[in-house]
Amino acid sequence: MAEPMLKPPKVAISPLDWMRQNLFSSWYNSLLTIVVGYMVVTSVGPLFTWLFFEATFLGDEPSDCVGTGACWLFISQRLNFFIYGFYPDEFQWRVDVMFLLLAVCFVPQFIERFPGRKWFGLFGLTGLPVVGYFLIPGGNFGLEIVESSKWGGLMLTLILAYIGIIASLPIGILLALGRRSEMPIIRGICVVFIEVWRAVPLITVLFMASVMLPLFLPDGMNFEKLMRALIGITLWQSAYMAEVIRGGLQAIPRGQYEAADALGLGYWKKTGLIILPQALKMVIPGIVNTFISLFKDTTLVLIIGLFDILGTVQSTVTDPAWQNVAIEGYVFVAFCFWVFCFGISRYSQNLERKLDTGHKT
Amino acid sequence: MGNTMTDQTQATGSTGPVPSQKDDSSSAIIRVESMNKWYGDFHVLKDLNLSVRQGERIVICGPSGSGKSTFIRCINRLEEHQQGKIIVDNIELTDDIRHIDTVRREVGMVFQHFNLFPHLTVLENCCLSPIWVRKTPRKEAEEAAMEYLERVKIPDQANKFPGQLSGGQQQRVAIARALCMKPKIMLFDEPTSALDPEMIKEVLDVMIELAGSGMTMLCVTHEMGFAKTVADRVIFMDGGEIVEEAPPHEFFTNPQEPRTQKFLEQILDH
């Protein structure tokens, strides 16, 4: 842990020896190396040419794109739409404030020695949604109301994923605990909830939320489409989360429960102090996996008419003013998703290392 | 001496009259009266009677599967009994969760597999329950914990995680953790069975020291040397029954029951 550790001595190997050992150790390895090498050279070269060397970065008009490479003007010209959707220009500072807060809360999480980074993270999980709740829709503190139908782009993707993630974790924990409860009614409710939601595709949930639900609700009681989608995503996600966490709960040895019991800790203290910290730590990879897949699944809101980042790009690539920019658009979307998902993944690895107390069960 | 003899006769005549025990059990800190336990159809504990005075040190031994661990686990309700009474420190163990929690606060337990909390440091392991159950201020709890860690001779490991300690050290931490709750009774469930031979002594030394301090102890163990040194009474269990109960000297030199004799032959001869 805190003690300095010496790394095992490095054995010096010349590049030639390394190649002989790793790339050309036998005739079929040599063949494989040559084939793969050929494929890399023939594909990576043109890719970079298209992405950077022949690409157009500067200009204002679609007609400025003359090279054979990518037309990044399409992205830079429509970036505002891709990030904010139809959010009015004059209020976009509110979204920017949220982006900034998001960065302030989570960038320190990657810096090991950042002072008080725990508090930044905690604020990100609790305070940030509250700030966002007042700032983005407006309506309070003299802020103009911006209807949720105008939200879109990356901002909408992040709202859906962020709320889905931080709301589904606690609900999932409660469901997992409930499913292992000794009280039959609670257990029954949790089992039914989990099995119903988990057996339904997200698309169906979103359809139900946007099309069917209003039919069942009494007149006048109708809340926004985005809110309905959010609730649907959260409940659907928490069913998955519950099962991941249940896996962790079941992996905790019985002795841990008994030791906590013997010390006189009641159910909630035992669960909160002993069982959950260990169970959650154990299933970090599973939790993060679920988060990442949720992040990407948010693109499905397109089918109920919400324009997330993929939706905004997709609706723009058909713009007749721009010719053949679909690839650029999708590459941009893929890159955005990759940045966030890779970030989540790196952070979880970071967390796993930090929480490793050298215990093997 | 005469007193123990009557105890013994009662235990051997398994359905012996309970009332005669009342006199000396009024001062008893643990009273078990005709207690029965079943796992499904399997009758694990059969009509057990036991009365333990404050400060008494009792060793329970017997072949594996004789129900001795189950028995002491009933005393802090890690296992439920179906019939009879268990009264610990004047509180009867029933389904009432408040009674169970009160009893558990006064009864410390040490397990075969230590069961330390691997995500907490040694010091946090020790302070957890005093802080959350006894509501001791953190600083005070930590100071007390350090005292107990010194008593079990590992204060220097306080900030390590259990996974970084040897088995013997972990078991000593487990003892310290239980002591931090300042219990009136300590239960030991085969505390040395999972240890490498060279670590058994360091744990037994701590237990002997504890016995010397007047702690009421119930100890399930196969360490007959320990039983000879510290026990006031040795209880031999087999097939879910208390077969024999005697002071150690008598128990080892002059066992009355054939089953006890056979058991002692087996463990002392190897």
Side-chain angles (χ1 to χ4, degrees):
Chain A
M1 287 282 109
E3 302 138 32
M5 291 230 292
L6 287 178
K7 288 206 170 111
K10 273 198 182 130
V11 184
I13 284 187
S14 79
L16 214 63
D17 284 340
W18 183 88
M19 281 170 70
R20 196 171 295 141
Q21 272 176 27
N22 293 291
L23 300 178
F24 301 100
S25 56
S26 61
W27 69 265
Y28 51 85
N29 268 352
S30 308
L31 191 70
L32 214 59
T33 304
I34 290 165
V35 170
V36 170
Y38 175 77
M39 277 159 52
V40 168
V41 169
T42 50
S43 61
V44 169
L47 182 67
F48 274 77
T49 311
W50 183 82
L51 280 174
F52 304 113
F53 307 134
E54 297 280 320
T56 314
F57 290 95
L58 298 171
D60 307 303
E61 301 278 320
S63 54
D64 288 335
C65 280
V66 286
T68 52
C71 179
W72 296 123
L73 287 183
F74 169 65
I75 305 298
S76 56
Q77 290 297 306
R78 309 304 306 266
L79 194 61
N80 197 61
F81 182 54
F82 297 160
I83 290 178
Y84 305 100
F86 299 104
Y87 208 88
D89 287 353
E90 64 269 34
F91 303 132
Q92 282 175 5
W93 62 269
R94 299 195 215 156
V95 182
D96 294 335
V97 168
M98 290 308 292
F99 279 134
L100 188 72
L101 282 176
L102 192 71
V104 167
C105 290
F106 290 102
V107 170
Q109 306 306 320
F110 291 90
I111 303 161
E112 200 69 42
R113 306 226 171 277
F114 199 91
R117 66 173 188 159
K118 199 164 75 179
W119 299 107
F120 283 91
L122 204 65
F123 177 77
L125 295 179
T126 54
L128 197 62
V130 177
V131 175
Y133 178 79
F134 288 107
L135 204 55
I136 292 185
N140 295 74
F141 308 112
L143 294 170
E144 291 278 337
I145 293 177
V146 180
E147 285 156 19
S148 66
S149 56
K150 290 185 177 159
W151 307 1
L154 180 64
M155 160 200 154
L156 185 68
T157 298
L158 287 177
I159 289 174
L160 288 167
Y162 197 72
I163 303 289
I165 285 171
I166 61 168
S168 66
L169 187 63
I171 300 176
I173 290 174
L174 290 177
L175 284 171
L177 291 173
R179 193 169 184 166
R180 285 172 57 78
S181 165
E182 281 166 14
M183 286 174 271
I185 297 175
I186 292 183
R187 190 174 54 226
I189 292 172
C190 292
V191 169
V192 169
F193 182 96
I194 291 169
E195 295 302 337
V196 166
W197 283 92
R198 208 164 50 130
V200 182
L202 183 56
I203 292 197
T204 320
V205 172
L206 292 171
F207 261 130
M208 286 286 284
S210 75
V211 185
M212 307 278 288
L213 199 61
L215 298 180
F216 300 134
L217 288 176
D219 282 343
M221 187 189 161
N222 195 4
F223 42 101
E224 293 172 313
K225 184 155 65 175
L226 177 64
M227 187 56 113
R228 279 180 269 141
L230 264 176
I231 293 172
I233 288 176
T234 303
L235 296 180
W236 182 80
Q237 181 71 6
S238 49
Y240 273 90
M241 196 52 72
E243 288 299 278
V244 172
I245 292 165
R246 189 165 69 95
L249 291 176
Q250 279 172 348
I252 304 291
R254 208 170 118 217
Q256 294 289 310
Y257 290 89
E258 288 179 350
D261 283 339
L263 285 170
L265 295 165
Y267 176 81
W268 290 107
K269 284 172 191 160
K270 172 173 71 176
T271 306
L273 297 168
I274 308 298
I275 307 302
L276 274 182
Q278 295 185 61
L280 291 178
K281 184 175 94 178
M282 221 177 285
V283 293
I284 287 174
I287 292 176
V288 171
N289 208 14
T290 320
F291 282 169
I292 288 178
S293 80
L294 171 70
F295 195 93
K296 294 181 294 186
D297 283 344
T298 55
T299 50
L300 290 173
V301 296
L302 185 63
I303 60 146
I304 57 166
L306 294 173
F307 283 83
D308 73 324
I309 186 167
L310 181 62
T312 51
V313 170
Q314 209 160 23
S315 68
T316 321
V317 291
T318 51
D319 184 347
W322 296 87
Q323 303 287 317
N324 301 324
V325 286
I327 299 176
E328 285 86 340
Y330 292 128
V331 167
F332 170 72
V333 173
F335 178 73
C336 288
F337 273 103
W338 180 81
V339 167
F340 283 100
C341 293
F342 184 68
I344 297 174
S345 159
R346 292 302 302 183
Y347 175 62
S348 85
Q349 285 169 24
N350 218 333
L351 200 63
E352 271 177 69
R353 254 197 314 278
K354 204 184 73 182
L355 295 177
D356 181 20
T357 54
H359 177 78
K360 306 279 179 290
T361 24
Chain B
M1 197 59 178
N3 197 359
T4 352
M5 285 300 280
T6 40
D7 278 357
Q8 190 189 326
T9 35
Q10 271 164 22
T12 35
S14 53
T15 48
V18 184
S20 69
Q21 217 174 12
K22 280 276 154 112
D23 295 335
D24 103 303
S25 65
S26 56
S27 67
I29 193 160
I30 301 173
R31 263 187 297 156
V32 179
E33 291 169 12
S34 357
M35 190 262 275
N36 280 284
K37 175 172 175 59
W38 287 266
Y39 281 132
D41 288 338
F42 180 57
H43 200 172
V44 236
L45 298 176
K46 297 171 189 159
D47 196 36
L48 300 186
N49 287 289
L50 179 72
S51 163
V52 181
R53 288 187 309 280
Q54 181 125 31
E56 214 177 355
R57 299 168 299 250
I58 290 180
V59 164
I60 304 173
C61 60
S64 73
S66 59
K68 50 197 191 309
S69 284
T70 313
F71 179 34
I72 74 160
R73 288 157 58 88
C74 282
I75 291 170
N76 65 352
R77 193 77 172 186
L78 286 184
E79 303 278 355
E80 232 174 284
H81 62 283
Q82 278 88 32
Q83 228 176 56
K85 272 188 183 173
I86 300 178
I87 298 162
V88 181
D89 198 21
N90 293 321
I91 297 164
E92 185 176 352
L93 281 171
T94 55
D95 283 332
D96 193 330
I97 190 87
R98 281 165 305 173
H99 288 187
I100 297 173
D101 283 345
T102 319
V103 166
R104 282 176 178 166
R105 246 171 272 160
E106 304 305 332
V107 180
M109 183 153 199
V110 176
F111 298 87
Q112 180 177 6
H113 295 288
F114 331 135
N115 295 350
L116 293 175
F117 305 129
H119 62 302
L120 301 175
T121 63
V122 164
L123 189 63
E124 287 165 341
N125 262 280
C126 292
C127 293
L128 188 82
S129 204
I131 290 173
W132 288 92
V133 179
R134 290 237 192 264
K135 314 283 180 209
T136 319
R138 175 172 294 272
K139 193 160 171 286
E140 210 174 291
E142 282 180 0
E143 279 164 12
M146 283 312 292
E147 260 170 52
Y148 284 111
L149 287 173
E150 254 157 60
R151 204 163 147 194
V152 300
K153 302 181 184 66
I154 34 174
D156 45 325
Q157 313 284 357
N159 293 312
K160 286 195 180 171
F161 287 99
Q164 296 166 301
L165 305 185
S166 73
Q169 289 173 323
Q170 289 193 45
Q171 193 61 299
R172 284 185 284 150
V173 172
I175 294 172
R177 178 178 71 177
L179 290 175
C180 281
M181 281 294 279
K182 304 196 167 64
K184 294 181 178 157
I185 301 162
M186 284 285 283
L187 307 175
F188 293 85
D189 186 3
E190 307 204 28
T192 54
S193 308
L195 295 175
D196 290 336
E198 76 272 21
M199 293 172 183
I200 291 177
K201 189 175 174 296
E202 65 187 55
V203 172
L204 288 180
D205 284 347
V206 168
M207 289 169 63
I208 290 169
E209 192 265 337
L210 186 64
S213 74
M215 174 68 76
T216 311
M217 289 165 72
L218 260 78
C219 185
V220 172
T221 184
H222 295 292
E223 296 298 329
M224 291 303 135
F226 174 76
K228 281 177 194 163
T229 337
V230 307
D232 294 315
R233 262 189 288 164
V234 179
I235 292 175
F236 174 69
M237 285 182 70
D238 189 19
E241 296 169 313
I242 293 182
V243 175
E244 188 158 354
E245 194 178 335
H249 175 71
E250 224 168 287
F251 181 84
F252 289 108
T253 52
N254 187 19
Q256 303 292 314
E257 295 287 324
R259 279 193 280 182
T260 320
Q261 289 160 1
K262 191 164 162 252
F263 175 75
L264 287 174
E265 266 165 38
Q266 278 166 344
I267 62 163
L268 298 176
D269 278 0
H270 67 98

